[in-house]
Amino acid sequence: SHGVRWNGDSLAEDYQTLAEMLAAAGYDPAAFVALPTMLDRGGLGPGFDTWVQRGDASGFSLPGPDVVRQAEQWLENLDGDRPILLWAHLFEAHSPYPVGPYARQEFHEAGYDGPLAEGASTELFYALGEEIPLTQREQLAVRALYDQQVVDLDRYVGELLDLLSRHLMDRARLIVLTADHGQSLGEHKAVGHGFLLWQTVLQVPLIIGGDAVDKSGVRAASPVSLLDLKPTILEAAGIDAEETTGGRALWPVLAGGRLPSRSLFAEARALADNVQHDPNDAKSLAVFDGSSKLIWRPDGYRFHDLSLDPHETAGQQEAVTADHRGMIEMAERFS
Protein backbone atom coordinates (compact mmCIF):
# COMPACT_ATOMS: atom_id res chain seq x y z
CA SER A 1 0.00 0.00 0.00
CA HIS A 2 2.88 2.42 0.63
CA GLY A 3 5.09 1.20 -2.22
CA VAL A 4 8.25 0.43 -0.22
CA ARG A 5 9.40 -3.18 -0.42
CA TRP A 6 13.16 -2.70 -0.10
CA ASN A 7 15.73 0.08 0.38
CA GLY A 8 15.66 1.06 -3.29
CA ASP A 9 11.99 2.07 -3.21
CA SER A 10 10.43 5.39 -2.19
CA LEU A 11 7.05 6.07 -0.65
CA ALA A 12 4.12 6.37 -3.00
CA GLU A 13 3.40 10.04 -3.71
CA ASP A 14 -0.12 9.86 -2.30
CA TYR A 15 0.96 8.12 0.91
CA GLN A 16 0.58 10.36 3.97
CA THR A 17 3.30 9.81 6.54
CA LEU A 18 2.82 9.91 10.28
CA ALA A 19 4.76 13.21 10.39
CA GLU A 20 2.52 14.76 7.74
CA MET A 21 -0.65 13.70 9.56
CA LEU A 22 0.57 15.04 12.90
CA ALA A 23 1.83 18.28 11.34
CA ALA A 24 -1.63 18.82 9.82
CA ALA A 25 -3.09 18.35 13.31
CA GLY A 26 -0.91 21.11 14.76
CA TYR A 27 2.10 19.14 15.92
CA ASP A 28 5.70 20.34 15.60
CA PRO A 29 7.56 17.36 14.05
CA ALA A 30 11.36 17.02 14.12
CA ALA A 31 13.63 14.17 13.01
CA PHE A 32 17.25 13.68 14.02
CA VAL A 33 18.52 10.58 12.30
CA ALA A 34 21.90 8.90 12.14
CA LEU A 35 21.31 7.81 8.53
CA PRO A 36 20.14 10.91 6.64
CA THR A 37 19.35 9.06 3.41
CA MET A 38 16.24 7.66 5.10
CA LEU A 39 14.75 11.15 4.98
CA ASP A 40 15.61 12.22 1.45
CA ARG A 41 16.12 9.08 -0.66
CA GLY A 42 13.66 7.05 1.41
CA GLY A 43 10.98 9.72 1.28
CA LEU A 44 10.41 10.04 5.04
CA GLY A 45 11.32 13.73 5.19
CA PRO A 46 7.94 15.29 4.28
CA GLY A 47 6.06 16.49 7.34
CA PHE A 48 9.14 17.15 9.44
CA ASP A 49 9.77 20.87 9.97
CA THR A 50 13.24 20.12 11.30
CA TRP A 51 15.53 17.43 10.01
CA VAL A 52 19.26 17.11 9.63
CA GLN A 53 20.84 15.91 6.39
CA ARG A 54 24.50 15.68 7.19
CA GLY A 55 26.63 12.71 8.17
CA ASP A 56 30.21 12.23 9.20
CA ALA A 57 33.22 12.84 6.94
CA SER A 58 32.17 9.93 4.71
CA GLY A 59 28.63 11.27 4.47
CA PHE A 60 27.25 8.00 5.84
CA SER A 61 26.08 8.18 9.43
CA LEU A 62 26.09 10.27 12.57
CA PRO A 63 27.25 8.83 15.90
CA GLY A 64 24.68 8.57 18.68
CA PRO A 65 26.04 11.48 20.79
CA ASP A 66 25.56 13.83 17.81
CA VAL A 67 21.94 12.73 17.38
CA VAL A 68 21.29 13.30 21.09
CA ARG A 69 22.95 16.72 20.97
CA GLN A 70 20.84 17.82 17.99
CA ALA A 71 17.67 16.69 19.74
CA GLU A 72 18.73 18.58 22.86
CA GLN A 73 19.33 21.81 20.94
CA TRP A 74 15.91 21.54 19.32
CA LEU A 75 14.15 20.87 22.64
CA GLU A 76 15.92 23.82 24.24
CA ASN A 77 14.57 26.14 21.55
CA LEU A 78 10.95 24.98 21.54
CA ASP A 79 8.63 27.94 21.35
CA GLY A 80 5.08 27.76 22.62
CA ASP A 81 2.92 24.87 23.75
CA ARG A 82 2.44 23.04 20.45
CA PRO A 83 2.57 19.26 20.85
CA ILE A 84 5.64 17.65 19.32
CA LEU A 85 6.71 14.55 17.42
CA LEU A 86 10.39 13.84 18.00
CA TRP A 87 12.05 11.04 16.04
CA ALA A 88 15.57 10.24 17.24
CA HIS A 89 17.21 7.50 15.20
CA LEU A 90 20.36 5.73 16.44
CA PHE A 91 22.53 3.52 14.24
CA GLU A 92 25.07 1.95 16.59
CA ALA A 93 23.64 -1.59 16.60
CA HIS A 94 24.31 -1.69 12.86
CA SER A 95 27.76 -2.49 11.47
CA PRO A 96 30.54 -1.31 11.58
CA TYR A 97 31.47 -2.39 15.11
CA PRO A 98 34.34 -0.54 16.82
CA VAL A 99 35.93 -1.84 20.00
CA GLY A 100 34.82 -0.16 23.21
CA PRO A 101 35.57 -0.78 26.89
CA TYR A 102 32.96 -3.53 27.27
CA ALA A 103 34.15 -5.53 24.23
CA ARG A 104 37.81 -5.02 25.08
CA GLN A 105 37.20 -6.44 28.57
CA GLU A 106 35.35 -9.42 27.05
CA PHE A 107 38.27 -10.04 24.68
CA HIS A 108 40.76 -9.80 27.55
CA GLU A 109 38.86 -12.29 29.72
CA ALA A 110 38.50 -14.73 26.81
CA GLY A 111 42.09 -14.30 25.65
CA TYR A 112 40.80 -13.39 22.20
CA ASP A 113 43.31 -11.96 19.69
CA GLY A 114 41.66 -12.97 16.41
CA PRO A 115 40.73 -10.91 13.33
CA LEU A 116 38.00 -8.99 15.22
CA ALA A 117 40.25 -7.94 18.10
CA GLU A 118 40.38 -4.34 16.85
CA GLY A 119 36.76 -4.21 15.79
CA ALA A 120 34.88 -5.07 12.62
CA SER A 121 34.32 -2.78 9.66
CA THR A 122 31.18 -3.53 7.67
CA GLU A 123 33.34 -5.33 5.10
CA LEU A 124 35.05 -7.40 7.80
CA PHE A 125 31.73 -8.21 9.45
CA TYR A 126 30.28 -9.55 6.21
CA ALA A 127 33.46 -11.50 5.53
CA LEU A 128 32.56 -13.77 8.46
CA GLY A 129 31.64 -17.15 7.09
CA GLU A 130 33.23 -16.27 3.76
CA GLU A 131 36.88 -15.13 3.86
CA ILE A 132 36.98 -15.53 7.67
CA PRO A 133 35.85 -18.89 9.13
CA LEU A 134 32.86 -18.41 11.40
CA THR A 135 34.30 -20.35 14.34
CA GLN A 136 32.83 -20.35 17.83
CA ARG A 137 35.52 -17.87 18.91
CA GLU A 138 34.58 -15.51 16.09
CA GLN A 139 30.90 -15.80 16.98
CA LEU A 140 31.65 -14.90 20.61
CA ALA A 141 33.86 -12.02 19.45
CA VAL A 142 31.27 -10.50 17.11
CA ARG A 143 28.63 -10.83 19.82
CA ALA A 144 30.88 -8.93 22.23
CA LEU A 145 31.27 -6.17 19.63
CA TYR A 146 27.51 -6.07 19.08
CA ASP A 147 26.80 -6.03 22.82
CA GLN A 148 29.23 -3.12 23.15
CA GLN A 149 27.01 -1.13 20.79
CA VAL A 150 23.91 -2.12 22.74
CA VAL A 151 25.58 -0.86 25.93
CA ASP A 152 26.27 2.44 24.17
CA LEU A 153 22.74 2.62 22.76
CA ASP A 154 21.29 2.08 26.21
CA ARG A 155 23.21 5.11 27.45
CA TYR A 156 22.04 7.30 24.54
CA VAL A 157 18.41 6.26 25.06
CA GLY A 158 18.78 7.14 28.74
CA GLU A 159 20.09 10.57 27.78
CA LEU A 160 17.14 11.11 25.44
CA LEU A 161 14.69 10.13 28.17
CA ASP A 162 16.39 12.56 30.57
CA LEU A 163 16.04 15.32 27.96
CA LEU A 164 12.33 14.62 27.52
CA SER A 165 11.80 14.60 31.27
CA ARG A 166 13.65 17.88 31.70
CA HIS A 167 12.09 19.78 28.82
CA LEU A 168 8.58 18.32 28.84
CA MET A 169 8.36 17.97 32.63
CA ASP A 170 7.23 14.34 32.37
CA ARG A 171 4.39 15.29 30.02
CA ALA A 172 5.47 12.94 27.23
CA ARG A 173 2.22 11.23 26.31
CA LEU A 174 3.80 8.44 24.32
CA ILE A 175 7.39 7.19 24.10
CA VAL A 176 8.19 4.36 21.69
CA LEU A 177 11.45 2.45 21.40
CA THR A 178 11.78 0.00 18.53
CA ALA A 179 14.00 -1.11 15.63
CA ASP A 180 13.54 -1.89 11.96
CA HIS A 181 15.39 -5.22 12.06
CA GLY A 182 17.60 -7.44 14.16
CA GLN A 183 21.01 -8.87 13.31
CA SER A 184 22.24 -12.41 12.75
CA LEU A 185 25.59 -12.89 14.47
CA GLY A 186 26.50 -16.35 13.23
CA GLU A 187 23.24 -18.10 14.03
CA HIS A 188 22.31 -20.47 11.19
CA LYS A 189 25.80 -19.74 9.81
CA ALA A 190 24.61 -16.30 8.71
CA VAL A 191 25.62 -12.73 9.51
CA GLY A 192 23.73 -9.53 8.82
CA HIS A 193 20.06 -8.98 8.07
CA GLY A 194 19.37 -7.87 4.51
CA PHE A 195 18.00 -11.01 2.88
CA LEU A 196 17.22 -13.22 5.86
CA LEU A 197 13.94 -14.25 7.48
CA TRP A 198 15.25 -15.87 10.65
CA GLN A 199 13.76 -14.65 13.94
CA THR A 200 17.15 -13.13 14.80
CA VAL A 201 16.34 -10.59 12.07
CA LEU A 202 12.55 -10.31 12.21
CA GLN A 203 12.00 -10.15 15.97
CA VAL A 204 12.72 -6.65 17.23
CA PRO A 205 12.21 -4.80 20.53
CA LEU A 206 9.05 -2.75 20.96
CA ILE A 207 8.66 -0.83 24.22
CA ILE A 208 5.85 1.71 24.64
CA GLY A 209 5.65 4.06 27.61
CA GLY A 210 4.63 7.59 28.57
CA ASP A 211 1.85 9.05 30.67
CA ALA A 212 -0.81 7.56 28.36
CA VAL A 213 0.29 4.02 29.24
CA ASP A 214 -0.42 2.00 32.38
CA LYS A 215 2.79 2.10 34.42
CA SER A 216 2.27 -1.41 35.84
CA GLY A 217 3.78 -2.94 32.71
CA VAL A 218 2.14 -5.35 30.27
CA ARG A 219 3.73 -7.84 27.89
CA ALA A 220 1.75 -8.65 24.75
CA ALA A 221 0.64 -12.28 24.74
CA SER A 222 0.60 -12.53 20.94
CA PRO A 223 2.82 -11.02 18.22
CA VAL A 224 2.33 -7.44 17.13
CA SER A 225 3.74 -5.66 14.11
CA LEU A 226 5.57 -2.43 13.34
CA LEU A 227 2.53 -1.73 11.14
CA ASP A 228 0.67 -1.16 14.40
CA LEU A 229 2.75 1.83 15.48
CA LYS A 230 1.19 4.40 13.16
CA PRO A 231 -2.44 3.82 14.22
CA THR A 232 -1.36 3.52 17.88
CA ILE A 233 0.40 6.89 17.81
CA LEU A 234 -2.39 8.56 15.84
CA GLU A 235 -5.03 7.41 18.32
CA ALA A 236 -2.92 8.80 21.17
CA ALA A 237 -3.05 12.15 19.36
CA GLY A 238 -6.80 11.93 18.89
CA ILE A 239 -6.54 11.47 15.11
CA ASP A 240 -8.61 9.02 13.08
CA ALA A 241 -6.28 6.06 12.54
CA GLU A 242 -8.17 4.42 9.70
CA GLU A 243 -5.68 3.47 6.98
CA THR A 244 -4.81 0.70 4.53
CA THR A 245 -1.47 -0.61 5.80
CA GLY A 246 -3.00 -3.42 7.82
CA GLY A 247 -1.90 -2.04 11.17
CA ARG A 248 -4.14 -1.68 14.19
CA ALA A 249 -3.94 0.40 17.34
CA LEU A 250 -2.44 -1.47 20.29
CA TRP A 251 -4.36 0.28 23.06
CA PRO A 252 -6.35 -2.86 24.04
CA VAL A 253 -3.02 -4.71 24.44
CA LEU A 254 -1.48 -1.84 26.40
CA ALA A 255 -4.46 -2.03 28.78
CA GLY A 256 -3.79 -5.71 29.42
CA GLY A 257 -6.28 -7.11 26.92
CA ARG A 258 -5.93 -9.01 23.66
CA LEU A 259 -6.63 -8.37 20.01
CA PRO A 260 -8.07 -10.94 17.59
CA SER A 261 -5.44 -13.17 16.02
CA ARG A 262 -4.26 -12.39 12.51
CA SER A 263 -1.64 -13.48 10.04
CA LEU A 264 1.59 -11.51 9.79
CA PHE A 265 3.86 -11.29 6.77
CA ALA A 266 7.54 -10.62 6.01
CA GLU A 267 9.43 -10.47 2.75
CA ALA A 268 13.08 -10.66 1.73
CA ARG A 269 14.22 -9.35 -1.62
CA ALA A 270 17.68 -9.21 -3.15
CA LEU A 271 19.21 -8.18 -6.43
CA ALA A 272 20.02 -11.00 -8.82
CA ASP A 273 23.75 -10.54 -8.32
CA ASN A 274 23.51 -10.51 -4.53
CA VAL A 275 21.73 -13.74 -3.64
CA GLN A 276 22.82 -15.63 -0.55
CA HIS A 277 22.89 -19.41 -0.73
CA ASP A 278 20.60 -19.87 2.24
CA PRO A 279 17.11 -21.33 2.72
CA ASN A 280 15.98 -17.76 3.53
CA ASP A 281 17.56 -16.03 0.56
CA ALA A 282 16.15 -13.74 -2.13
CA LYS A 283 12.48 -13.83 -3.13
CA SER A 284 11.51 -15.59 0.08
CA LEU A 285 8.49 -14.90 2.23
CA ALA A 286 7.49 -15.61 5.81
CA VAL A 287 3.91 -16.00 6.99
CA PHE A 288 3.02 -16.17 10.69
CA ASP A 289 -0.17 -17.62 12.11
CA GLY A 290 0.04 -17.68 15.90
CA SER A 291 3.20 -19.60 16.77
CA SER A 292 3.36 -21.24 13.32
CA LYS A 293 5.84 -19.79 10.85
CA LEU A 294 6.06 -20.67 7.17
CA ILE A 295 9.14 -19.79 5.13
CA TRP A 296 8.26 -20.02 1.46
CA ARG A 297 10.41 -19.92 -1.67
CA PRO A 298 9.56 -20.75 -5.26
CA ASP A 299 11.47 -24.03 -4.90
CA GLY A 300 9.99 -25.14 -1.58
CA TYR A 301 8.88 -24.27 1.93
CA ARG A 302 9.28 -25.26 5.54
CA PHE A 303 7.49 -24.70 8.84
CA HIS A 304 8.57 -23.84 12.36
CA ASP A 305 6.54 -24.00 15.55
CA LEU A 306 8.06 -21.07 17.42
CA SER A 307 6.41 -22.06 20.69
CA LEU A 308 8.42 -25.31 20.67
CA ASP A 309 11.41 -24.18 18.62
CA PRO A 310 11.95 -20.42 19.19
CA HIS A 311 15.51 -20.55 17.80
CA GLU A 312 14.42 -22.36 14.62
CA THR A 313 16.87 -25.21 15.03
CA ALA A 314 14.48 -28.03 14.06
CA GLY A 315 14.25 -29.30 10.51
CA GLN A 316 11.38 -28.94 8.11
CA GLN A 317 8.10 -30.50 9.16
CA GLU A 318 7.04 -33.21 6.75
CA ALA A 319 3.30 -33.24 7.49
CA VAL A 320 1.26 -30.44 5.92
CA THR A 321 -1.97 -29.72 7.78
CA ALA A 322 -5.01 -27.79 6.57
CA ASP A 323 -3.75 -24.72 8.44
CA HIS A 324 -0.41 -25.04 6.69
CA ARG A 325 -2.13 -25.15 3.30
CA GLY A 326 -3.77 -21.83 4.08
CA MET A 327 -0.40 -20.29 4.91
CA ILE A 328 1.09 -21.68 1.69
CA GLU A 329 -1.76 -20.21 -0.34
CA MET A 330 -1.22 -16.83 1.32
CA ALA A 331 2.51 -16.91 0.52
CA GLU A 332 1.87 -17.84 -3.08
CA ARG A 333 -0.66 -15.02 -3.40
CA PHE A 334 1.78 -12.46 -2.00
CA SER A 335 4.60 -13.72 -4.21
Side-chain angles (χ1 to χ4, degrees):
S1 62
H2 51 57
V4 179
R5 299 180 69 190
W6 74 300
N7 279 351
D9 294 333
S10 293
L11 283 171
E13 290 185 4
D14 60 349
Y15 184 82
Q16 196 172 22
T17 67
L18 176 65
E20 289 176 307
M21 296 180 74
L22 289 175
Y27 276 68
D28 191 357
F32 303 101
V33 301
L35 195 64
T37 54
M38 291 193 304
L39 294 171
D40 46 18
R41 188 185 70 192
L44 295 178
F48 286 107
D49 295 329
T50 304
W51 47 292
V52 176
Q53 275 199 92
R54 65 176 183 275
D56 59 14
S58 67
F60 185 58
S61 65
L62 286 171
D66 288 359
V67 175
V68 174
R69 184 171 63 253
Q70 291 173 0
E72 181 177 21
Q73 292 172 348
W74 181 75
L75 286 167
E76 288 175 344
N77 291 292
L78 282 177
D79 185 21
D81 295 324
R82 292 180 66 192
I84 69 168
L85 167 68
L86 171 61
W87 178 25
H89 164 256
L90 301 166
F91 200 64
E92 271 72 12
H94 201 287
S95 61
Y97 297 117
V99 177
Y102 174 87
R104 198 169 297 282
Q105 180 63 28
E106 291 290 298
F107 290 168
H108 174 73
E109 292 180 1
Y112 178 77
D113 59 357
L116 305 180
E118 297 303 321
S121 65
T122 298
E123 293 75 19
L124 187 60
F125 174 67
Y126 280 101
L128 291 170
E130 299 291 339
E131 292 90 347
I132 301 174
L134 192 57
T135 66
Q136 184 177 12
R137 279 174 61 80
E138 258 52 74
Q139 287 192 56
L140 293 174
V142 75
R143 181 165 293 280
L145 291 172
Y146 183 85
D147 288 348
Q148 170 70 69
Q149 298 296 76
V150 173
V151 169
D152 293 342
L153 280 171
D154 185 68
R155 182 170 66 255
Y156 305 149
V157 169
E159 292 172 359
L160 286 166
L161 292 175
D162 288 343
L163 290 174
L164 292 177
S165 178
R166 186 161 69 248
H167 291 282
L168 302 182
M169 295 178 291
D170 294 322
R171 290 184 291 107
R173 179 157 179 78
L174 205 63
I175 301 172
V176 178
L177 185 148
T178 191
D180 56 337
H181 59 76
Q183 191 82 304
S184 284
L185 303 173
E187 301 91 348
H188 306 286
K189 299 181 179 179
V191 295
H193 54 270
F195 313 116
L196 302 170
L197 291 174
W198 298 112
Q199 291 300 93
T200 51
V201 173
L202 296 185
Q203 191 170 23
V204 297
L206 176 58
I207 303 172
I208 301 178
D211 63 15
V213 179
D214 187 343
K215 299 301 188 295
S216 62
V218 173
R219 184 181 181 93
S222 56
V224 300
S225 170
L226 292 180
L227 292 173
D228 301 329
L229 283 183
K230 187 177 181 182
T232 301
I233 294 170
L234 289 175
E235 282 200 10
I239 300 172
D240 183 5
E242 184 177 352
E243 54 173 332
T244 60
T245 61
R248 57 190 184 182
L250 296 175
W251 292 104
V253 176
L254 294 170
R258 299 178 66 95
L259 286 168
S261 62
R262 62 175 166 173
S263 296
L264 297 174
F265 170 78
E267 176 184 27
R269 296 176 69 194
L271 300 176
D273 61 351
N274 193 15
V275 177
Q276 298 188 13
H277 300 288
D278 180 270
N280 292 323
D281 65 8
K283 300 178 181 177
S284 58
L285 311 173
V287 178
F288 296 81
D289 186 359
S291 63
S292 295
K293 177 181 180 180
L294 163 71
I295 296 179
W296 179 94
R297 293 181 58 205
D299 60 353
Y301 51 81
R302 73 166 180 271
F303 298 95
H304 293 280
D305 185 339
L306 298 177
S307 65
L308 302 176
D309 182 28
H311 301 295
E312 300 171 288
T313 57
Q316 178 173 335
Q317 298 179 7
E318 297 297 333
V320 176
T321 67
D323 290 340
H324 291 153
R325 292 191 185 95
M327 296 171 74
I328 293 171
E329 290 173 1
M330 180 179 294
E332 290 176 341
R333 186 168 71 251
F334 276 122
S335 69

